[in-house]
Amino acid sequence: MVGLVFVDRLTLTPAQWVALVMVMGLILWREEWQTLLGCHALLLAAFWNRALTTDTHLLFQSASYLSQWTWSAFLSEFPFRDYVKLQPPFYTFWLSRWPSLPLHQYFQANFAVGCGLLMLEIYGDQAKYLLSTPVYLLMSTQPGNDFILFGVVLCVLRLLQLRHRAAAAIGVGVLWLVKPLILIVFPLLCWRVRWWALLSVGILASYLTWSRSYYFGALQWQFLLQQLCLR
């Protein structure tokens, strides 16, 4: 959550600080699924309807405005909205159907429990040190595509661990549809899935071919090249 770390001033109430410290301690003490469920329920209650970052505010402002448009009109309209204009349209469109912060915080809390279980499967007992970090816990309360991207990466890693390379390759392709900056590690992930990487590249090529026929596709591709210092 770059906005929280580099831009926004973190201001929490005493109750939120207590909830955050309690959750950190509980996860370090016992990293079971029941603990994760209880911890994220506690965080959900403490941060209910609270947007901590500028990114979250902009996301829901844009989602509320875009809720009036159907899919085809949405594709033409969202490139003119701050923050979401540089992201693939799928997550934003889904969020715009129900632009309610508490509702999506509830979805995110459940998603965070799933991410926690995946980390425990992948890393074992060591996962508790990431699960208990303040940045991770705060991210789990703020809906956004960064956290969705994190969850999909975990799915890919777990599939690779189980040697399901074909399914992992599809996951690698889906990562691009969540956030194009995954291009930074895209070659490494393709190497991990071996020749199944053709599936990943196919998904990527299909998205680029489709998106470049819209204004948002050209805008996002230009931004991505700038971020990668290729211009």
Side-chain angles (χ1 to χ4, degrees):
M1 197 191 311
V2 177
L4 177 62
V5 177
F6 294 109
V7 176
D8 297 297
R9 180 179 179 181
L10 182 62
T11 304
L12 304 180
T13 66
Q16 288 168 340
W17 277 113
V18 169
L20 192 62
V21 172
M22 285 181 60
V23 167
M24 292 168 60
L26 285 170
I27 292 175
L28 288 172
W29 173 57
R30 180 168 295 177
E31 69 287 356
E32 298 176 347
W33 73 266
Q34 296 96 331
T35 305
L36 292 176
L37 189 62
C39 286
H40 285 292
L42 178 59
L43 287 173
L44 182 63
F47 290 89
W48 184 258
N49 202 25
R50 172 73 185 278
L52 297 177
T53 70
T54 301
D55 287 354
T56 307
H57 283 291
L58 291 174
L59 177 62
F60 278 89
Q61 285 176 6
S62 295
S64 180
Y65 174 78
L66 293 167
S67 63
Q68 62 186 303
W69 308 110
T70 61
W71 173 245
S72 58
F74 173 92
L75 293 177
S76 299
E77 186 65 27
F78 92 94
F80 301 100
R81 303 296 301 180
D82 288 338
Y83 183 67
V84 299
K85 65 183 179 182
L86 297 176
Q87 300 173 4
F90 310 108
Y91 177 74
T92 304
F93 181 75
W94 176 72
L95 191 144
S96 71
R97 300 306 90 186
W98 306 277
S100 165
L101 175 59
L103 176 63
H104 288 279
Q105 283 183 308
Y106 173 78
F107 290 149
Q108 183 116 333
N110 285 276
F111 189 77
V113 173
C115 289
L117 295 175
L118 278 173
M119 279 191 279
L120 291 173
E121 289 292 332
I122 297 169
Y123 301 112
D125 183 65
Q126 299 301 309
K128 66 183 180 183
Y129 298 111
L130 174 57
L131 287 168
S132 62
T133 56
V135 170
Y136 173 80
L137 295 173
L138 290 171
M139 281 180 65
S140 71
T141 71
Q142 302 297 296
N145 65 344
D146 288 336
F147 200 76
I148 303 299
L149 181 74
F150 180 71
V152 180
V153 169
L154 289 174
C155 290
V156 170
L157 293 177
R158 180 56 176 160
L159 288 168
L160 287 171
Q161 191 178 58
L162 296 173
R163 299 185 183 278
H164 298 321
R165 288 195 177 94
I170 294 173
V172 172
V174 169
L175 287 170
W176 183 281
L177 309 186
V178 179
K179 193 161 188 175
L181 280 179
I182 197 65
L183 181 63
I184 296 170
V185 295
F186 190 76
L188 175 62
L189 292 171
C190 285
W191 177 80
R192 292 284 303 275
V193 298
R194 308 291 176 84
W195 66 275
W196 288 107
L198 293 173
L199 277 174
S200 308
V201 175
I203 295 172
L204 166 58
S206 298
Y207 173 75
L208 289 177
T209 302
W210 170 72
S211 67
R212 290 296 294 276
S213 63
Y214 294 90
Y215 172 64
F216 77 85
L219 186 68
Q220 291 174 1
W221 181 247
Q222 180 183 19
F223 172 73
L224 183 63
L225 292 179
Q226 291 172 351
Q227 293 294 101
L228 295 175
C229 301
L230 295 180
R231 69 167 186 172

